[in-house]
Amino acid sequence: MPTREIIQHVGTLLDLAGVLVIAVGVAVATVVFALRWWRTRQVVDHYRAYRQGVGRAILLGLELLVAGDIIRTVAVSPTFTSVGVLALIVAVRTFLSVSLQVELDGRWPWQGKAPVGGSSVGSRPER
């Protein structure tokens, strides 16, 4: 089997893994949410954890999808057009990843974790 075909298959497997991670992650988060709701009958108490579970599944799946795109584009057909398309895909997926990370954590990725007291880094103390 030629090297290009092997690389193409590896990229396809990474794409499949990315899709499966997203699908299974969303399914698991949904089942956990449903079980928690069934026990307590409180949606509000478990909604944030559900969103975080779904968000983490999407983030991990996006990382695998980007890896598959990089492998296929750079190793199989490294033309200026394909690299440009790859750059656009990676930019969009990176924007989605950063947006999801901000949504999940409530802070920018480059900010430190909030201190135990609850205020975020760089916030002004209350007077």
Side-chain angles (χ1 to χ4, degrees):
M1 182 179 271
T3 305
R4 284 183 181 243
E5 286 183 37
I6 293 171
I7 292 170
Q8 187 70 28
H9 287 304
V10 168
T12 302
L13 286 174
L14 282 171
D15 284 347
L16 178 62
V19 171
L20 287 175
V21 163
I22 292 171
V24 170
V26 169
V28 167
T30 301
V31 168
V32 168
F33 175 75
L35 290 173
R36 288 177 178 169
W37 171 81
W38 184 258
R39 281 190 303 227
T40 64
R41 302 288 188 205
Q42 296 292 320
V43 172
V44 176
D45 294 343
H46 307 295
Y47 179 70
R48 181 170 172 84
Y50 175 66
R51 282 182 46 147
Q52 287 180 338
V54 169
R56 286 187 182 110
I58 293 171
L59 281 172
L60 182 57
L62 281 173
E63 295 296 329
L64 292 169
L65 290 168
V66 167
D69 287 340
I70 290 170
I71 287 173
R72 264 194 322 282
T73 302
V74 174
V76 175
S77 58
T79 64
F80 281 116
T81 303
S82 65
V83 171
V85 169
L86 173 66
L88 185 60
I89 290 170
V90 169
V92 168
R93 289 186 177 166
T94 300
F95 174 76
L96 288 173
S97 294
V98 170
S99 298
L100 282 169
Q101 193 68 43
V102 170
E103 181 74 22
L104 290 174
D105 295 341
R107 62 181 171 80
W108 293 104
W110 52 85
Q111 290 179 315
K113 293 200 182 255
V116 177
S119 64
S120 63
V121 173
S123 65
R124 298 190 318 195
E126 294 192 25
R127 298 177 192 221

